[in-house]
């Protein structure tokens, strides 16, 4: 998601905005930026290898206190990432613009004869480049690298399709891996909270178990994980509610010497009372709504990533 500050900056620079990244060229430097978690990220791709003078120029913005981090990817002499941290208030967009324009102008003056370079691996092609969208990331590619990437994606997808489904093993592993989630649900219930966060935990644990058992993470696999997460939400809420009731009864003087099994049976029998049953159903409903929202969001994200990667010309 791009927030208003970077949207405005993108318009000022004449950049494109695909909803995830704002990107474009300033002279012969490719620039892309986005909002992250408590930070703004700016990526540069330069038309030439960077020497020590160039790196010192980029690092000077860290020394000035503008950028929190300046990252030079190992083995890549063209790409650099800047991180601008923000905790209580947004980082000033004017400062980010100052950094971008200063670096782009510096590169253009020093490497005026250089053209933008293809982003393909070990490719220095500068002609016939086009932007292609790959999982919402705009990538600058030459026709040859675009073809290589398409072939690689097709081969990987065919290999994925030939893998065994392992739905049963994946389901059993998801159930086992989800058990710790019930402890978190109980903890939140003990604090008197509705554990919406446990919905995400159930999804995460079910996904871990499913992939650990080599279950195929296609649409059916994602639906299995999502369904198990919702079922675990119901089971976790019910068990936690009964456990909290039992613990509260144990604190009563009358419960001294009474077997725990009898208290559990008493707690289950108390569900015949309309008021108790209503309270449990309210908790179940709220948990399903809150956890369900979290699960559906993660399910949509996983469904998008589980399909075949598409390359679209931008």
């Amino acid at each position: 998601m791009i927030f208003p500050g970077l949207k405005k900056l993108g318009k000022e620079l004449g950049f494109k905005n695909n909803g995830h990244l704002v990107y474009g060229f300033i002279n012969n430097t490719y620039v892309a930026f986005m909002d992250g978690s408590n930070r703004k990220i700016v990526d540069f791709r330069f038309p030439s290898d960077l020497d020590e003078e160039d790196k010192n120029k980029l690092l000077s913005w860290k020394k000035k206190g503008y950028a929190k981090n300046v990252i030079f990817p190992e083995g890549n002499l063209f790409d650099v990432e800047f991180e601008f941290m923000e905790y209580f208030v947004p980082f000033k967009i004017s400062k980010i613009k100052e950094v971008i324009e200063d670096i782009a102008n510096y590169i253009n003056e020093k490497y005026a004869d250089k053209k933008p370079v293809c982003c393909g691996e070990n490719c220095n092609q500068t002609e016939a480049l086009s932007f292609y969208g790959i999982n919402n990331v705009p990538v600058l590619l030459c026709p040859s690298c675009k073809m290589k990437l398409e072939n690689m994606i097709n081969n990987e997808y065919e290999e994925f399709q030939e893998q065994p489904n392992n739905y049963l093993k994946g389901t059993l592993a998801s159930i086992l891996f989800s058990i710790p989630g019930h402890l978190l649900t109980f903890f939140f219930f003990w604090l008197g909270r509705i554990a919406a966060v446990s919905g995400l935990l159930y999804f995460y644990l079910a996904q871990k178990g499913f992939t650990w058992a080599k279950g195929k993470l296609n649409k059916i696999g994602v639906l299995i994980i999502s369904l198990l997460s919702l079922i675990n939400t119901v089971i976790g809420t019910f068990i936690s509610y009964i456990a909290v009731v039992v613990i509260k009864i144990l604190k009563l003087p009358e419960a001294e010497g009474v077997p725990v099994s009898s208290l559990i049976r008493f707690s289950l029998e108390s569900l015949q009372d309309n008021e108790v049953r209503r309270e449990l159903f309210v908790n179940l409903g709220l948990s399903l709504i809150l956890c369900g929202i979290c699960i559906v969001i993660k399910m949509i994200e996983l469904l998008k990533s589980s399909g075949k990667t598409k390359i679209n010309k931008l």
Side-chain angles (χ1 to χ4, degrees):
M1 181 178 178
I2 305 298
F3 290 107
L6 289 186
K7 284 183 180 178
K8 181 180 178 183
L9 177 58
K11 289 181 179 179
E12 291 177 4
L13 297 174
F15 283 10
K16 293 183 179 180
N17 180 354
N18 68 1
H20 298 272
L21 277 171
V22 181
Y23 61 97
F25 279 98
I26 297 183
N27 300 322
N28 56 357
T29 295
Y30 171 55
V31 184
F33 46 80
M34 63 180 178
D35 284 285
S37 178
N38 296 323
R39 59 180 179 159
K40 297 188 185 301
I41 302 169
V42 179
D43 287 323
F44 293 88
R45 183 169 180 82
F46 301 112
S48 176
D49 297 352
L50 300 179
D51 57 27
E52 287 304 313
E53 180 186 20
D54 301 332
K55 291 181 180 180
N56 289 332
K57 170 66 177 177
L58 270 58
L59 288 170
S60 69
W61 289 106
K62 182 178 180 181
K63 295 175 182 177
K64 291 177 183 178
Y66 278 49
K68 178 66 176 178
N69 292 306
V70 179
I71 302 169
F72 299 90
E74 187 175 350
N76 190 326
L77 301 177
F78 292 92
D79 298 332
V80 178
E81 180 179 290
F82 276 63
E83 288 185 334
F84 301 90
M85 306 306 294
E86 48 189 13
Y87 298 103
F88 301 106
V89 294
F91 193 89
K92 287 187 177 180
I93 300 300
S94 59
K95 289 186 176 181
I96 296 178
K97 183 179 181 181
E98 183 182 350
V99 173
I100 292 174
E101 291 182 335
D102 178 76
I103 292 175
N105 290 333
Y106 165 82
I107 293 293
N108 189 51
E109 289 176 7
K110 185 172 180 178
Y111 302 102
D113 59 330
K114 298 288 185 178
K115 296 181 180 179
V117 181
C118 174
C119 294
E121 187 175 359
N122 298 322
C123 181
N124 294 318
Q125 181 64 252
T126 60
E127 301 297 330
L129 304 183
S130 299
F131 276 115
Y132 294 92
I134 305 172
N135 289 335
N136 294 316
V137 177
V139 181
L140 193 65
L141 297 173
C142 66
S144 176
C145 287
K146 185 256 184 180
M147 185 67 66
K148 288 179 183 177
L149 186 59
E150 277 188 334
N151 290 335
M152 183 186 72
I153 290 172
N154 288 334
N155 291 336
E156 289 180 351
Y157 187 73
E158 288 176 5
E159 290 177 4
F160 175 75
Q161 291 295 96
E162 293 174 357
Q163 293 175 6
N165 294 326
N166 288 330
Y167 294 143
L168 180 58
K169 289 172 63 177
T171 299
L172 294 175
S174 294
I175 293 171
L176 290 174
F177 273 60
S178 298
I179 291 174
H182 298 308
L183 297 176
L184 181 65
T185 303
F186 168 74
F187 175 73
F188 274 92
F189 259 87
W190 180 247
L191 295 177
R193 300 287 187 270
I194 300 298
V197 69
S198 63
L200 278 178
L201 181 63
Y202 285 133
F203 192 95
Y204 173 79
L205 292 173
Q207 181 182 342
K208 281 292 182 182
F210 195 83
T211 53
W212 176 82
K214 294 182 170 49
K216 183 182 286 188
L217 212 55
N218 54 11
K219 291 182 179 180
I220 295 177
V222 174
L223 290 174
I224 289 173
I225 292 170
S226 305
L227 182 60
L228 288 174
S229 302
L230 289 171
I231 292 173
N232 275 314
T233 298
V234 174
I235 294 174
T237 301
F238 181 81
I239 293 175
S240 299
Y241 182 86
I242 296 299
V244 168
V245 171
V246 170
I247 291 174
K248 288 182 177 180
I249 294 175
L250 281 171
K251 293 182 178 180
L252 299 174
E254 302 92 320
E256 187 175 350
V258 179
V260 174
S261 59
S262 298
L263 296 179
I264 294 175
R265 186 168 58 252
F266 173 77
S267 300
L268 291 172
E269 290 173 353
S270 69
L271 294 177
Q272 296 178 8
D273 182 82
N274 290 334
E275 187 63 27
V276 175
R277 191 163 56 248
R278 187 189 67 81
E279 184 180 8
L280 175 59
F281 285 162
V282 167
N283 278 281
L284 279 171
L286 290 174
S287 295
L288 274 175
I289 291 172
L290 296 174
C291 296
I293 291 172
C294 297
I295 291 169
V296 167
I297 291 172
K298 294 301 296 182
M299 180 182 72
I300 293 173
E301 291 177 359
L302 198 54
L303 281 172
K304 287 181 179 179
S305 64
S306 66
K308 184 179 179 180
T309 301
K310 295 180 180 180
I311 302 179
N312 303 312
K313 189 172 182 179
L314 301 176

